[in-house]
Amino acid sequence: MPKTITYKSNKFYFEECLSFLEGTGKKIYGPKFKVIGEDHPIIFKLFTYFFRDQENANLLDMDLSKGILLMGPIGCGKTSLMNIMRFIRSQDDQHLMIATRKISYDFIQNGYQVIEKYSDRSFKFKTDVWIPKHYCFDDLGVENSLKYYGNDCNVMTEILLSRYDYFISHKMITHITTNLDSDEIEKLYGSRVRSRLRETCNLISFDGSTIDKRK
């Protein structure tokens, strides 16, 4: 039986946060940005995660030490939600948004150092220690397997597998938005990536009947 969401939290006031979400959305995306009621369950889960609400995370079977894998159809608002959620965290703790298509273009221009940028060199220096950078890879699946000097390389496969290793060793957080379902992810990136994403991300999924909000 699915758990009933009560929208109550000791960490945040849901209605006030919805107002913040819509107000920030309008500033970034224009006056047509709107929060609709059918998205409240998804939004509450995201607030639970980014406000570090352990009590509701337990009720919703979420692991706050993992990232977010936000699935849903085209135009449901995945990118805008993950972008706005950055502003809940302090500037030092915000994730960076990067489109997978841009990563692929960078790979064509600069080669394998791009993979290192989002894995081995994905750290920043703070208070005498190196801490991992948190990324949200936007629109996983729109990039293609590309060739760099004749070598086939699925760039995102390599990045995700490398970041998994750093998740285990350094708690490196990875967020993802995608139009793909789990089977499609496995088909494009392999069973290892699908398995690693289960270990490193909380799955949050829009209903397949969600309307395209960009129309």
Side-chain angles (χ1 to χ4, degrees):
M1 292 288 291
K3 293 180 174 64
T4 301
I5 299 178
T6 60
Y7 303 124
K8 293 181 180 179
S9 171
N10 293 322
K11 290 283 190 177
F12 59 90
Y13 293 103
F14 186 55
E15 293 299 326
E16 290 183 8
C17 290
L18 286 177
S19 297
F20 162 81
L21 179 67
E22 186 160 293
T24 304
K26 289 183 184 298
K27 289 179 182 178
I28 297 174
Y29 299 106
K32 291 185 178 180
F33 184 90
K34 185 178 180 182
V35 176
I36 60 176
E38 70 179 39
D39 290 345
H40 285 186
I42 299 290
I43 294 169
F44 186 80
K45 290 178 181 178
L46 292 174
F47 282 151
T48 292
Y49 178 86
F50 286 103
F51 278 107
R52 319 310 289 167
D53 181 350
Q54 187 63 62
E55 182 178 1
N56 274 310
N58 292 339
L59 294 173
L60 296 168
D61 293 326
M62 297 178 67
D63 186 339
L64 299 182
S65 70
K66 297 181 178 183
I68 296 292
L69 172 55
L70 188 57
M71 291 180 171
I74 295 171
C76 67
K78 302 181 297 297
T79 299
S80 56
L81 283 176
M82 288 302 291
N83 190 29
I84 295 170
M85 290 294 162
R86 295 187 305 120
F87 301 106
I88 290 175
R89 308 299 301 162
S90 67
Q91 188 170 1
D92 287 338
D93 197 32
Q94 290 178 1
H95 58 269
L96 303 168
M97 298 288 295
I98 182 72
T100 59
R101 181 177 294 170
K102 182 181 185 304
I103 293 174
S104 293
Y105 291 154
D106 287 348
F107 181 77
I108 292 174
Q109 296 294 320
N110 301 304
Y112 290 95
Q113 63 179 303
V114 174
I115 295 175
E116 293 180 353
K117 176 181 178 180
Y118 299 104
S119 54
D120 297 348
R121 293 190 285 113
S122 186
F123 290 85
K124 57 187 176 182
F125 195 67
K126 178 184 178 183
T127 319
D128 299 327
V129 294
W130 289 97
I131 60 175
K133 294 180 181 178
H134 303 330
Y135 277 99
C136 179
F137 297 116
D138 189 34
D139 266 347
L140 182 70
V142 300
E143 83 291 343
N144 296 314
S145 181
L146 300 174
K147 287 189 175 183
Y148 177 71
Y149 290 112
N151 296 317
D152 287 326
C153 179
N154 192 315
V155 182
M156 290 310 302
T157 294
E158 298 302 322
I159 290 173
L160 293 173
L161 290 177
S162 294
R163 289 183 69 86
Y164 167 79
D165 293 336
Y166 284 114
F167 169 78
I168 298 299
S169 62
H170 291 79
K171 303 185 186 303
M172 181 178 282
I173 298 298
T174 301
H175 305 305
I176 295 168
T177 74
T178 184
N179 303 328
L180 305 175
D181 61 28
S182 297
D183 290 338
E184 290 169 330
I185 288 175
E186 181 170 347
K187 183 176 180 180
L188 278 179
Y189 302 101
S191 58
R192 286 183 66 205
V193 168
R194 180 177 180 175
S195 175
R196 298 299 187 259
L197 291 182
R198 281 197 295 264
E199 293 184 56
T200 59
C201 294
N202 296 282
L203 173 60
I204 300 178
S205 182
F206 281 87
D207 188 294
S209 62
T210 301
I211 61 171
D212 186 340
K213 301 179 181 69
R214 292 181 292 199
K215 291 182 178 179

